[in-house]
Amino acid sequence: MRIWRKDGVTDDNRLSTTYDEVSVYPIPAALYLVKNLLQYYIFAYVDAPGYQILKNFNIISTGVLYRIILKRRLSEIQWAAFILLCAGCTTAQLNPRSDHVLQTPVQGWLMAIVMALLSGFAGVYTEAIIKKRPSRNINVQNFWLYVFGMVFNAIAIVVQDFDEVVSKGFFHGYSLITVLMILNHALSGLAVSMVMKYADNIVKVYATSVAMLLTAIVSVFLFGFHLSLAFFLGSTVVSVSVYLHSIGKLQR
């Protein structure tokens, strides 16, 4: 509404759309739904530290699918930087319980790989459809993407938790922390869409990885979190990866 008042209603910012444009949005919405559901099912086979490490498969899958789907080449230095980024994030998340990752059942490994592929494919596909019409207003594109996201999640709620919702209500168990988490995820989702519109998935991967390190540092002051040697080593590797990626981008 702010944009409509400022610029008026144009072909690029109106909510009305065509079938050809809107028909592509259900695909990433469905992919994100399945990926998010897998995040909960995987905990039946993997503990939290192991999940954090296995989630780093997303980094490699994003790079591979970025090359296959968008046909955009990465230099050899950038591929080396990607591998270092994955290794650095994994090292930074090591703790005494991380040894159990290698003991993860086959189902856990399969879910982690599928989740990584879904995450990478959904991200790259979303970038492709957002950039397909560069002049289209990003808020309108988000609107249609999230409309389908809401529809698919509503179907998932009916299938999985219909009796619970009917007996206890939709907002049962909500607290202030729950509401803040929802707002945080909503705002981060909008930020990610901006990154995909004006940058790319590679930038998103690096931003997410650096955010993990910043979160750990903030946790030192908020929760008394103790930074380990592995964290410092992993942070160093991630920093080197960021530098190499920028160098590789300039060379490309």
Side-chain angles (χ1 to χ4, degrees):
M1 291 179 66
R2 178 179 61 83
I3 292 173
W4 288 338
R5 285 196 298 266
K6 178 183 176 183
D7 302 328
V9 179
T10 66
D11 289 337
D12 289 328
N13 66 25
R14 67 173 73 246
L15 285 180
S16 57
T17 182
T18 63
Y19 174 79
D20 288 339
E21 180 184 15
V22 80
S23 62
V24 297
Y25 288 103
I27 297 174
L31 291 173
Y32 281 123
L33 171 65
V34 176
K35 187 208 75 160
N36 290 335
L37 289 176
L38 277 177
Q39 285 182 328
Y40 293 97
Y41 288 119
I42 197 173
F43 282 113
Y45 305 99
V46 183
D47 59 8
Y51 168 76
Q52 289 296 330
I53 292 175
L54 292 176
K55 197 170 72 168
N56 291 323
F57 282 135
N58 295 357
I59 298 173
I60 302 299
S61 70
T62 299
V64 173
L65 293 170
Y66 186 81
R67 174 69 181 92
I68 295 174
I69 298 176
L70 296 183
K71 302 293 190 296
R72 296 184 183 176
R73 295 184 61 186
L74 297 175
S75 67
E76 293 180 359
I77 294 179
Q78 285 179 303
W79 279 115
F82 242 53
I83 295 172
L84 282 177
L85 179 66
C86 185
C89 290
T90 302
T91 303
Q93 293 164 336
L94 292 177
N95 60 50
R97 289 184 292 170
S98 299
D99 293 337
H100 297 296
V101 176
L102 297 178
Q103 302 171 10
T104 299
V106 175
Q107 298 94 320
W109 284 101
L110 290 176
M111 283 188 180
I113 293 171
V114 171
M115 192 171 66
L117 291 173
L118 286 175
S119 178
F121 183 75
V124 173
Y125 189 87
T126 301
E127 179 185 341
I129 63 177
I130 284 179
K131 288 181 175 177
K132 184 178 181 181
R133 184 177 169 185
S135 60
R136 190 62 155 146
N137 187 274
I138 183 63
N139 298 302
V140 177
Q141 292 175 313
N142 278 331
F143 174 84
W144 286 110
L145 177 63
Y146 292 136
V147 161
F148 286 105
M150 292 171 63
V151 170
F152 290 145
N153 277 278
I155 294 173
I157 290 174
V158 171
V159 172
Q160 289 190 314
D161 304 307
F162 180 77
D163 293 336
E164 289 283 327
V165 172
V166 170
S167 61
K168 298 181 180 179
F170 183 83
F171 296 103
H172 174 74
Y174 273 58
S175 64
L176 177 61
I177 297 297
T178 311
V179 174
L180 291 176
M181 286 296 295
I182 292 172
L183 290 174
N184 177 63
H185 280 290
L187 292 174
S188 65
L190 294 174
V192 166
S193 67
M194 293 289 184
V195 171
M196 291 184 182
K197 179 78 169 181
Y198 302 110
D200 53 43
N201 268 277
I202 306 299
V203 174
K204 185 198 78 170
V205 166
Y206 274 92
T208 304
S209 302
V210 173
M212 176 200 70
L213 304 180
L214 293 177
T215 300
I217 294 173
V218 172
S219 298
V220 172
F221 302 98
L222 293 181
F223 310 114
F225 181 71
H226 297 287
L227 300 180
S228 62
L229 176 61
F231 176 83
F232 285 107
L233 293 175
S235 302
T236 302
V237 174
V238 169
S239 301
V240 172
S241 172
V242 173
Y243 174 74
L244 287 178
H245 176 74
S246 63
I247 294 297
K249 192 171 184 179
L250 288 175
Q251 288 188 355
R252 185 187 66 181

